[in-house]
Amino acid sequence: MRIGVIGTGRIGTIHANTLSRHRDVGSLILTDAEPGRAQDLAHRLGETAAPGVEEIFRWGVDAVVITTATSAHAELIGRAARSGLPVFCEKPIALDLPGTLSAIAEVETAGTVLQMGFQRRFDPGYAGAREAVRAGRLGRLHTVRALTSDQAPPPAAWLPVSGGLYRDTLIHDFDVLRWVTGREVADAYAAGSDAGPAMFREAGDVDTGAALLTLDDGTLATVTGARMNGAGYDVRMELAGEHDQIVVGLDDRTPIASTEPTGPPAADKPWTGFLERFGPAYEAELNAFVEVVRGERANPCDGREALQALRVAEACEVSRRERRPVRLAEIPGGAAAFA
C-alpha cells in the first residue's frame, strides 16, 4: 500500500512516522507547502518527497492522509474523492458548514471513504467510559462534565485561522460526548471570556469558554475550555448516573492538586500537551485507517460524525455571540440535510 501524506508539520510528522513503520504500508509520498520540510522528513524516514500536491495524485497512491492547514482540507478531500481515493483528514473538514457539507457530498457521490481524525475515540479511557455507559453500569446518566485546558496558548498567528475555541479545541469534547453517550445535543447555551492576552480579543476569539448542553434524553453536560492552564494539559470527562460515577483522564499525571489533608499529591510530571497525552490514540487511529483502506473494518468516524460535532460548536458560537440558548435544529446540517 502506498499512501500520500499532504502536510508534514507537527501532526503530519507524527502520522508519517506511524505509517512508515506500519507493516501493511509499503511506502509514503510526502509533500508540504514548505517543500524542504517534506524533503527532510522523507530523508529521515527513507520515503519519497513530492514537489507538491499535483504529484501526489499523478504519481499514484492508494490512499491520502491530509494534515495541512484547515483552509485546504475541503478542497483536498474533494479532489481525493474525485480520484476514487480513501482519505484520512485531521479535523475539521472545514471551518464553516457549507464547506463541510460540500466535501461530504463529494465523498458520498464518489462512494469513497473519509475518516476524520478525532483521536479521543481511540483513547482507552474514553473507550472504557463508552462501554460503561452503553452497558448500563451507571444507570440513568444524568450529568456529564467535560473539560479541555491547554497549558500554553497557540501562536497569535494561528488564532485568526483556527475557527475559535469552540471549533478548534472543544470540538473534540463535543465529538466524544456524542460518541460516549450515544446521544445527540438538543440545545446549547455558551459563554466566553477574552480577559486574557490581547491577541484573543484581536482575533475575535476567547481564551476561556463554557457551554451548558442538554442532550436529547435530558442529560445535562457542561463543557469548559481554557487556553492557558499553567499547571499543565488537562483533559477529563466525568459521567454521573443514578448507580455509579466514573472519570476519564484522572491519573498520576493529571495537573490538579487537592487541598484536602489526605488528598492525592500534585503530579510530579503533569501532561504538557495533546501530542503527549494522546500519542497512543493518534497511532491507533492511523492503524484503523489502514484497516479501513484494506476493507478489514468499518469507518470509525466518517464525515457526518464530524459534521455533527461542528454543528454543536456552531451552536455554541451563536449562543456566545448572541447571548441566548440555541437549539441545534437552528443549525444547518441535521438529518434533513441528507434526506
Side-chain angles (χ1 to χ4, degrees):
M1 182 187 304
R2 190 185 219 189
I3 295 180
V5 178
I6 306 175
T8 56
R10 183 169 56 171
I11 193 64
T13 295
I14 288 175
H15 288 339
N17 272 277
T18 296
L19 293 168
S20 184
R21 62 176 183 267
H22 196 290
R23 65 183 182 183
D24 293 322
V25 177
S27 62
L28 303 178
I29 303 177
L30 313 177
T31 193
D32 192 271
E34 299 179 19
R37 187 160 64 179
Q39 291 169 3
D40 289 344
L41 180 59
H43 178 72
R44 293 199 303 272
L45 298 179
E47 304 289 357
T48 301
V53 173
E54 294 291 333
E55 286 76 13
I56 291 284
F57 292 97
R58 193 166 66 243
W59 292 356
V61 292
D62 299 299
V64 174
V65 170
I66 300 171
T67 60
T68 61
T70 299
S71 59
H73 287 183
E75 179 184 352
L76 290 170
I77 288 169
R79 182 163 187 178
R82 294 190 297 273
S83 299
L85 295 173
V87 175
F88 175 93
C89 184
E90 280 299 323
K91 65 81 190 168
I93 293 174
L95 289 177
D96 61 2
L97 289 166
T100 299
L101 289 166
S102 176
I104 292 172
E106 288 220 61
V107 170
E108 295 188 352
T109 297
T112 53
V113 170
L114 169 61
Q115 180 182 328
M116 294 303 300
F118 282 105
Q119 85 284 352
R120 294 187 194 182
R121 293 181 177 222
F122 296 88
D123 177 72
Y126 285 105
R130 173 185 164 97
E131 182 179 352
V133 170
R134 302 303 179 89
R137 172 181 153 191
L138 307 186
R140 182 184 69 86
L141 185 67
H142 54 73
T143 307
V144 182
R145 308 175 192 93
L147 66 89
T148 295
S149 296
D150 294 323
Q151 183 177 35
W158 167 247
L159 293 177
V161 298
S162 70
L165 181 67
Y166 292 103
R167 297 187 192 94
D168 177 46
T169 299
L170 293 184
I171 195 169
H172 282 287
D173 296 272
F174 302 146
D175 174 71
V176 85
L177 172 66
R178 296 179 60 253
W179 186 73
V180 167
T181 65
R183 311 304 309 192
E184 296 294 342
V185 175
D187 58 59
Y189 188 80
S193 170
D194 61 3
M199 64 181 185
F200 292 98
R201 292 186 293 279
E202 292 166 356
D205 197 3
V206 294
D207 58 81
T208 307
L212 172 61
L213 309 176
T214 303
L215 307 189
D216 57 11
D217 64 348
T219 300
L220 294 181
T222 59
V223 180
T224 62
R227 291 292 199 180
M228 297 184 299
N229 191 59
Y233 180 70
D234 193 5
V235 173
R236 280 176 282 140
M237 173 182 274
E238 299 173 5
L239 301 104
E242 292 181 343
H243 297 162
D244 203 355
Q245 181 171 240
I246 57 177
V247 59
V248 179
L250 183 62
D251 58 21
D252 59 0
R253 298 192 65 182
T254 304
I256 191 168
S258 173
T259 59
E260 299 296 333
T262 58
D268 289 333
K269 188 181 179 183
W271 298 107
T272 59
F274 62 91
L275 294 178
E276 182 185 34
R277 165 66 177 84
F278 290 110
Y282 280 116
E283 182 168 347
E285 70 178 357
L286 263 295
N287 290 338
F289 178 61
V290 172
E291 293 175 355
V292 169
V293 174
R294 288 172 57 85
E296 297 171 352
R297 67 174 292 173
N299 188 349
C301 187
D302 63 19
R304 294 197 185 196
E305 292 286 291
L307 169 64
Q308 298 315 314
L310 179 61
R311 292 180 68 237
V312 179
E314 289 287 329
C316 288
E317 281 291 352
V318 173
S319 177
R320 178 183 72 85
R321 186 172 61 249
E322 300 183 3
R323 296 178 177 272
R324 67 175 177 89
V326 174
R327 298 284 298 174
L328 262 291
E330 298 178 43
I331 307 300
F338 299 97

